[in-house]
Amino acid sequence: MAVIALALLLVVWGVANGKTEQSQLSIDAMIEQLDDDEIHALVMGAAKGVEAANFALEERHSTPLYCEPALSKMSGAEYTDMFVTFVRRHPEHGKAKISIFAWVMLLALQDAYPCRR
């Protein structure tokens, strides 16, 4: 569901900007080309989608995707900083197409909040 919402947001964003080739951008290029508010909106959309999926797994007593501490709630700016920092530390993810943006967000959350096995 989150991936569908993100894909729709990307299509709308690309059409609104007259740039249907936006989905071919790398994540690094997206970070460089978009302004802070646009990056923040994309990061928050992906983060909230992954967060909802994680919550649903926890409610079903399934293994969560990542393990954020119970009292920790990240602000939008913190999500954005975490994502951009993760991509900078892992340049292979920055080279990825924007079409897997939500997947890279999941990897960033797993990096920040690993689950103890």
Side-chain angles (χ1 to χ4, degrees):
M1 180 72 135
V3 174
I4 293 170
L6 178 61
L8 180 58
L9 176 62
L10 291 173
V11 169
V12 170
W13 174 73
V15 171
N17 286 296
K19 300 176 182 174
T20 56
E21 72 279 358
Q22 293 301 99
S23 64
Q24 299 304 312
L25 283 177
S26 70
I27 291 173
D28 279 337
M30 178 212 64
I31 290 170
E32 295 303 318
Q33 291 182 17
L34 299 182
D35 67 33
D36 290 344
D37 289 339
E38 291 170 323
I39 293 170
H40 179 73
L42 288 171
V43 167
M44 287 306 298
K48 291 302 179 181
V50 173
E51 188 178 282
N54 208 44
F55 178 76
L57 287 170
E58 289 174 346
E59 287 295 304
R60 293 179 181 154
H61 304 288
S62 296
T63 304
L65 299 169
Y66 64 97
C67 296
E68 184 175 8
L71 298 178
S72 172
K73 287 297 171 201
M74 291 176 55
S75 70
E78 289 170 326
Y79 272 118
T80 301
D81 289 343
M82 178 208 56
F83 181 80
V84 172
T85 299
F86 177 80
V87 169
R88 296 292 181 241
R89 281 193 353 251
H90 300 279
E92 67 277 14
H93 297 306
K95 292 180 178 107
K97 299 287 185 214
I98 195 171
S99 59
I100 64 162
F101 186 87
W103 173 254
V104 176
M105 172 53 73
L106 172 59
L107 296 176
L109 285 164
Q110 289 173 331
D111 184 67
Y113 300 114
C115 296
R116 300 197 198 296
R117 305 276 176 202

